[in-house]
Amino acid sequence: MKSAVERFWEAVPEQVEGKPVDGAILTSAANCRYLSGFPSSSRLVILTREQAYFLTDFRYGEAARKKVRDCQVVVFQRREQSVKEILRRHGLKTVLFERETIPLVEAETLGGLCREEGIAPIFDNTLDKTMEGIRAIKTPEEIDKIRAAQAITDEAFSHILPFLREGVTEREIALEIEFFMRKQGAERIAFDLIVVSGENGSQCHGVPTDKPLRRGDFITMDTGAVCDGYHSDMTRTVALGEVSEEQRQVYDTVLRAQLAAIDTVRAGVHCHIVDRAARSIIEEKYPKAFGHGLGHSVGLEIHENPRFSPACEDIAQPGMVITVEPGIYLEGRFGVRIEDMILVTENGCENLTHSPKELLIV
Ligand code: ZN
Ligand code: ZN
């Protein structure tokens, strides 16, 4: 199995702006963790063609020496001094930086330092795109961590069903799911959990409130856990006590759209085709009710690329893990979303989500 650093050098272009690429300096949490295997708030990864370095300060030195892989650990006293020494040691001429995530002050400090050393800092998005490309294809090890996070999410769904009663509030439900996930071994929750009910359900990213559940409410729960840095993401909508004919139709439409989209997923399909498969079914009956993309990739971050969205020209490849999450949102009335995480395979896909999704009336 090739290391992440090796895969980086295979994927990065030989040249950028007509100059050979000699090295890269990365500061973002997810990219530094991906390359070194080590999460830290004090971090800098320097890649050269000969050697990769992970720089941190005294507070993380011991842990870094134990856990960092594929990079030489440098515990600095003065960070800029250590960076300079490394750049000189390897005689670099060009250094790539992350454009999308680097703080302005870091771009000024580290870019300036490069210029002082006669090195051209490059702030186009070459580095972002290269990292995005290698991170999009999950290794078997990464897929195992996503499976572990999703297993806890599935357990939390079964656990919460008996709690859904008239009078219980959205906040109480969200808190119970979070507490349960932590007890089951999640290192944290994947995002601020969404629990919305009744008329709040039309806010696709609504915040749980003190609203109590009422008979006839749809309850939408968008939840996920993190295991060893990797996220899961699942949404289920269930009904309390009873549903109207209209609610049932909306639910059936979302489910049909979701199944139709999953049916199109295989290596080689354009991402926008998957989005279209769901969107065309929903728009036929509910033209303005599905205002977000169909899905996003999941990994060290909850939202990664590529996405199943109308504008995404990327092609699905084996090893990508992407959500399929159509919804119908009827403003001020109710909403339904159903979300699974799908692993793209050579001939189709594997659904990593195992919670039931036929309409449940609890
Ligand atoms: Zn979600
Ligand atoms: Zn999602």
PDB file of all heavy atoms in Angstrom, residues 191 205 222 232-235 294-298 302-303 323-325 337 339-341, ligand 2:
ATOM      1  N   PHE A 191     -21.169  16.646  13.196  1.00  0.00           N
ATOM      2  CA  PHE A 191     -21.602  18.039  12.955  1.00  0.00           C
ATOM      3  C   PHE A 191     -22.692  18.300  13.982  1.00  0.00           C
ATOM      4  O   PHE A 191     -23.116  17.369  14.685  1.00  0.00           O
ATOM      5  CB  PHE A 191     -22.143  18.222  11.517  1.00  0.00           C
ATOM      6  CG  PHE A 191     -23.102  17.132  11.090  1.00  0.00           C
ATOM      7  CD1 PHE A 191     -24.454  17.204  11.381  1.00  0.00           C
ATOM      8  CD2 PHE A 191     -22.627  15.982  10.437  1.00  0.00           C
ATOM      9  CE1 PHE A 191     -25.329  16.185  11.019  1.00  0.00           C
ATOM     10  CE2 PHE A 191     -23.498  14.954  10.076  1.00  0.00           C
ATOM     11  CZ  PHE A 191     -24.851  15.065  10.364  1.00  0.00           C
ATOM     12  N   HIS A 205     -31.486  22.604   7.080  1.00  0.00           N
ATOM     13  CA  HIS A 205     -30.411  22.603   8.073  1.00  0.00           C
ATOM     14  C   HIS A 205     -30.866  23.323   9.350  1.00  0.00           C
ATOM     15  O   HIS A 205     -30.135  24.130   9.919  1.00  0.00           O
ATOM     16  CB  HIS A 205     -29.120  23.208   7.506  1.00  0.00           C
ATOM     17  CG  HIS A 205     -28.252  22.185   6.851  1.00  0.00           C
ATOM     18  ND1 HIS A 205     -26.946  22.393   6.519  1.00  0.00           N
ATOM     19  CD2 HIS A 205     -28.519  20.905   6.477  1.00  0.00           C
ATOM     20  CE1 HIS A 205     -26.451  21.304   5.954  1.00  0.00           C
ATOM     21  NE2 HIS A 205     -27.389  20.393   5.913  1.00  0.00           N
ATOM     22  N   ASP A 222     -30.856  14.261  11.081  1.00  0.00           N
ATOM     23  CA  ASP A 222     -29.633  14.175  10.254  1.00  0.00           C
ATOM     24  C   ASP A 222     -28.475  14.059  11.230  1.00  0.00           C
ATOM     25  O   ASP A 222     -28.181  14.995  11.975  1.00  0.00           O
ATOM     26  CB  ASP A 222     -29.527  15.431   9.384  1.00  0.00           C
ATOM     27  CG  ASP A 222     -28.445  15.320   8.315  1.00  0.00           C
ATOM     28  OD1 ASP A 222     -27.600  14.406   8.406  1.00  0.00           O
ATOM     29  OD2 ASP A 222     -28.442  16.169   7.403  1.00  0.00           O
ATOM     30  N   SER A 232     -19.378   9.985   9.458  1.00  0.00           N
ATOM     31  CA  SER A 232     -20.522   9.348   8.807  1.00  0.00           C
ATOM     32  C   SER A 232     -21.628  10.386   8.736  1.00  0.00           C
ATOM     33  O   SER A 232     -21.576  11.408   9.426  1.00  0.00           O
ATOM     34  CB  SER A 232     -20.994   8.128   9.599  1.00  0.00           C
ATOM     35  OG  SER A 232     -21.416   8.520  10.890  1.00  0.00           O
ATOM     36  N   ASP A 233     -22.621  10.122   7.904  1.00  0.00           N
ATOM     37  CA  ASP A 233     -23.677  11.109   7.666  1.00  0.00           C
ATOM     38  C   ASP A 233     -24.912  10.359   7.194  1.00  0.00           C
ATOM     39  O   ASP A 233     -24.860   9.660   6.169  1.00  0.00           O
ATOM     40  CB  ASP A 233     -23.180  12.093   6.584  1.00  0.00           C
ATOM     41  CG  ASP A 233     -24.075  13.314   6.441  1.00  0.00           C
ATOM     42  OD1 ASP A 233     -25.031  13.448   7.217  1.00  0.00           O
ATOM     43  OD2 ASP A 233     -23.799  14.129   5.540  1.00  0.00           O
ATOM     44  N   MET A 234     -25.996  10.461   7.964  1.00  0.00           N
ATOM     45  CA  MET A 234     -27.236   9.757   7.597  1.00  0.00           C
ATOM     46  C   MET A 234     -28.439  10.606   8.006  1.00  0.00           C
ATOM     47  O   MET A 234     -28.424  11.224   9.069  1.00  0.00           O
ATOM     48  CB  MET A 234     -27.312   8.413   8.329  1.00  0.00           C
ATOM     49  CG  MET A 234     -28.656   7.719   8.149  1.00  0.00           C
ATOM     50  SD  MET A 234     -28.755   6.128   8.997  1.00  0.00           S
ATOM     51  CE  MET A 234     -29.370   6.633  10.606  1.00  0.00           C
ATOM     52  N   THR A 235     -29.466  10.613   7.178  1.00  0.00           N
ATOM     53  CA  THR A 235     -30.720  11.263   7.557  1.00  0.00           C
ATOM     54  C   THR A 235     -31.866  10.276   7.450  1.00  0.00           C
ATOM     55  O   THR A 235     -31.945   9.520   6.473  1.00  0.00           O
ATOM     56  CB  THR A 235     -31.038  12.469   6.640  1.00  0.00           C
ATOM     57  OG1 THR A 235     -29.922  13.327   6.590  1.00  0.00           O
ATOM     58  CG2 THR A 235     -32.253  13.235   7.159  1.00  0.00           C
ATOM     59  N   LEU A 294     -27.614  16.919  -4.443  1.00  0.00           N
ATOM     60  CA  LEU A 294     -28.043  15.583  -4.003  1.00  0.00           C
ATOM     61  C   LEU A 294     -27.092  14.966  -2.982  1.00  0.00           C
ATOM     62  O   LEU A 294     -27.526  14.204  -2.121  1.00  0.00           O
ATOM     63  CB  LEU A 294     -28.150  14.656  -5.224  1.00  0.00           C
ATOM     64  CG  LEU A 294     -28.593  13.226  -4.915  1.00  0.00           C
ATOM     65  CD1 LEU A 294     -30.057  13.203  -4.443  1.00  0.00           C
ATOM     66  CD2 LEU A 294     -28.418  12.328  -6.129  1.00  0.00           C
ATOM     67  N   GLY A 295     -25.795  15.290  -3.060  1.00  0.00           N
ATOM     68  CA  GLY A 295     -24.896  14.642  -2.097  1.00  0.00           C
ATOM     69  C   GLY A 295     -23.482  15.161  -2.184  1.00  0.00           C
ATOM     70  O   GLY A 295     -23.117  15.881  -3.112  1.00  0.00           O
ATOM     71  N   HIS A 296     -22.691  14.777  -1.173  1.00  0.00           N
ATOM     72  CA  HIS A 296     -21.311  15.240  -1.043  1.00  0.00           C
ATOM     73  C   HIS A 296     -20.452  14.061  -0.612  1.00  0.00           C
ATOM     74  O   HIS A 296     -20.949  13.124   0.016  1.00  0.00           O
ATOM     75  CB  HIS A 296     -21.244  16.356   0.014  1.00  0.00           C
ATOM     76  CG  HIS A 296     -21.861  15.966   1.321  1.00  0.00           C
ATOM     77  ND1 HIS A 296     -21.152  15.369   2.339  1.00  0.00           N
ATOM     78  CD2 HIS A 296     -23.156  16.035   1.757  1.00  0.00           C
ATOM     79  CE1 HIS A 296     -21.975  15.108   3.346  1.00  0.00           C
ATOM     80  NE2 HIS A 296     -23.207  15.492   3.031  1.00  0.00           N
ATOM     81  N   SER A 297     -19.169  14.136  -0.907  1.00  0.00           N
ATOM     82  CA  SER A 297     -18.257  13.115  -0.422  1.00  0.00           C
ATOM     83  C   SER A 297     -18.027  13.313   1.076  1.00  0.00           C
ATOM     84  O   SER A 297     -18.235  14.406   1.606  1.00  0.00           O
ATOM     85  CB  SER A 297     -16.928  13.188  -1.167  1.00  0.00           C
ATOM     86  OG  SER A 297     -17.098  12.841  -2.524  1.00  0.00           O
ATOM     87  N   VAL A 298     -17.608  12.227   1.731  1.00  0.00           N
ATOM     88  CA  VAL A 298     -17.400  12.227   3.180  1.00  0.00           C
ATOM     89  C   VAL A 298     -16.052  11.578   3.466  1.00  0.00           C
ATOM     90  O   VAL A 298     -15.669  10.614   2.801  1.00  0.00           O
ATOM     91  CB  VAL A 298     -18.512  11.413   3.887  1.00  0.00           C
ATOM     92  CG1 VAL A 298     -18.338  11.441   5.396  1.00  0.00           C
ATOM     93  CG2 VAL A 298     -19.887  11.933   3.518  1.00  0.00           C
ATOM     94  N   ILE A 302     -16.595  16.498   6.774  1.00  0.00           N
ATOM     95  CA  ILE A 302     -17.975  16.061   6.530  1.00  0.00           C
ATOM     96  C   ILE A 302     -18.415  16.396   5.103  1.00  0.00           C
ATOM     97  O   ILE A 302     -19.180  15.648   4.505  1.00  0.00           O
ATOM     98  CB  ILE A 302     -18.947  16.647   7.597  1.00  0.00           C
ATOM     99  CG1 ILE A 302     -20.369  16.131   7.396  1.00  0.00           C
ATOM    100  CG2 ILE A 302     -18.942  18.164   7.632  1.00  0.00           C
ATOM    101  CD1 ILE A 302     -20.549  14.663   7.647  1.00  0.00           C
ATOM    102  N   HIS A 303     -17.924  17.496   4.552  1.00  0.00           N
ATOM    103  CA  HIS A 303     -18.270  17.839   3.168  1.00  0.00           C
ATOM    104  C   HIS A 303     -16.995  17.881   2.328  1.00  0.00           C
ATOM    105  O   HIS A 303     -16.153  18.752   2.527  1.00  0.00           O
ATOM    106  CB  HIS A 303     -18.979  19.201   3.090  1.00  0.00           C
ATOM    107  CG  HIS A 303     -20.310  19.205   3.776  1.00  0.00           C
ATOM    108  ND1 HIS A 303     -20.630  20.058   4.801  1.00  0.00           N
ATOM    109  CD2 HIS A 303     -21.402  18.427   3.591  1.00  0.00           C
ATOM    110  CE1 HIS A 303     -21.869  19.799   5.215  1.00  0.00           C
ATOM    111  NE2 HIS A 303     -22.351  18.817   4.495  1.00  0.00           N
ATOM    112  N   THR A 323     -22.656  10.870  -0.352  1.00  0.00           N
ATOM    113  CA  THR A 323     -24.021  10.725   0.149  1.00  0.00           C
ATOM    114  C   THR A 323     -25.029  10.896  -0.985  1.00  0.00           C
ATOM    115  O   THR A 323     -24.758  11.546  -1.988  1.00  0.00           O
ATOM    116  CB  THR A 323     -24.359  11.762   1.246  1.00  0.00           C
ATOM    117  OG1 THR A 323     -24.400  13.068   0.666  1.00  0.00           O
ATOM    118  CG2 THR A 323     -23.334  11.745   2.368  1.00  0.00           C
ATOM    119  N   VAL A 324     -26.201  10.293  -0.777  1.00  0.00           N
ATOM    120  CA  VAL A 324     -27.348  10.512  -1.670  1.00  0.00           C
ATOM    121  C   VAL A 324     -28.482  10.953  -0.765  1.00  0.00           C
ATOM    122  O   VAL A 324     -28.985  10.155   0.032  1.00  0.00           O
ATOM    123  CB  VAL A 324     -27.703   9.230  -2.452  1.00  0.00           C
ATOM    124  CG1 VAL A 324     -28.972   9.437  -3.269  1.00  0.00           C
ATOM    125  CG2 VAL A 324     -26.548   8.827  -3.372  1.00  0.00           C
ATOM    126  N   GLU A 325     -28.844  12.252  -0.832  1.00  0.00           N
ATOM    127  CA  GLU A 325     -29.764  12.802   0.154  1.00  0.00           C
ATOM    128  C   GLU A 325     -30.772  13.785  -0.437  1.00  0.00           C
ATOM    129  O   GLU A 325     -30.738  14.980  -0.175  1.00  0.00           O
ATOM    130  CB  GLU A 325     -28.991  13.477   1.291  1.00  0.00           C
ATOM    131  CG  GLU A 325     -27.893  14.439   0.874  1.00  0.00           C
ATOM    132  CD  GLU A 325     -27.203  15.078   2.090  1.00  0.00           C
ATOM    133  OE1 GLU A 325     -27.913  15.621   2.951  1.00  0.00           O
ATOM    134  OE2 GLU A 325     -25.967  15.027   2.167  1.00  0.00           O
ATOM    135  N   ARG A 337     -36.337  14.288   4.303  1.00  0.00           N
ATOM    136  CA  ARG A 337     -35.055  13.992   3.642  1.00  0.00           C
ATOM    137  C   ARG A 337     -34.651  12.574   4.020  1.00  0.00           C
ATOM    138  O   ARG A 337     -34.882  12.145   5.158  1.00  0.00           O
ATOM    139  CB  ARG A 337     -33.967  14.990   4.056  1.00  0.00           C
ATOM    140  CG  ARG A 337     -32.605  14.688   3.401  1.00  0.00           C
ATOM    141  CD  ARG A 337     -31.577  15.825   3.519  1.00  0.00           C
ATOM    142  NE  ARG A 337     -31.163  16.107   4.877  1.00  0.00           N
ATOM    143  CZ  ARG A 337     -31.570  17.116   5.612  1.00  0.00           C
ATOM    144  NH1 ARG A 337     -32.437  17.979   5.111  1.00  0.00           N
ATOM    145  NH2 ARG A 337     -31.145  17.300   6.842  1.00  0.00           N
ATOM    146  N   GLU A 339     -31.138  10.145   3.617  1.00  0.00           N
ATOM    147  CA  GLU A 339     -29.720  10.221   3.238  1.00  0.00           C
ATOM    148  C   GLU A 339     -28.974   8.938   3.593  1.00  0.00           C
ATOM    149  O   GLU A 339     -28.990   8.501   4.745  1.00  0.00           O
ATOM    150  CB  GLU A 339     -29.057  11.399   3.979  1.00  0.00           C
ATOM    151  CG  GLU A 339     -27.550  11.480   3.778  1.00  0.00           C
ATOM    152  CD  GLU A 339     -26.908  12.661   4.494  1.00  0.00           C
ATOM    153  OE1 GLU A 339     -27.467  13.118   5.527  1.00  0.00           O
ATOM    154  OE2 GLU A 339     -25.860  13.120   4.027  1.00  0.00           O
ATOM    155  N   ASP A 340     -28.317   8.373   2.594  1.00  0.00           N
ATOM    156  CA  ASP A 340     -27.422   7.224   2.792  1.00  0.00           C
ATOM    157  C   ASP A 340     -26.028   7.603   2.313  1.00  0.00           C
ATOM    158  O   ASP A 340     -25.875   8.506   1.495  1.00  0.00           O
ATOM    159  CB  ASP A 340     -27.896   6.017   1.963  1.00  0.00           C
ATOM    160  CG  ASP A 340     -29.171   5.390   2.502  1.00  0.00           C
ATOM    161  OD1 ASP A 340     -29.566   5.713   3.641  1.00  0.00           O
ATOM    162  OD2 ASP A 340     -29.776   4.581   1.766  1.00  0.00           O
ATOM    163  N   MET A 341     -25.026   6.858   2.786  1.00  0.00           N
ATOM    164  CA  MET A 341     -23.656   7.012   2.286  1.00  0.00           C
ATOM    165  C   MET A 341     -23.338   5.832   1.384  1.00  0.00           C
ATOM    166  O   MET A 341     -23.489   4.674   1.783  1.00  0.00           O
ATOM    167  CB  MET A 341     -22.641   7.007   3.443  1.00  0.00           C
ATOM    168  CG  MET A 341     -22.405   8.358   4.041  1.00  0.00           C
ATOM    169  SD  MET A 341     -20.964   8.324   5.115  1.00  0.00           S
ATOM    170  CE  MET A 341     -21.244   6.854   6.047  1.00  0.00           C
TER     171      MET A 341
HETATM  172 ZN    ZN B   2     -24.930  15.007   4.062  1.00  0.00          ZN
END
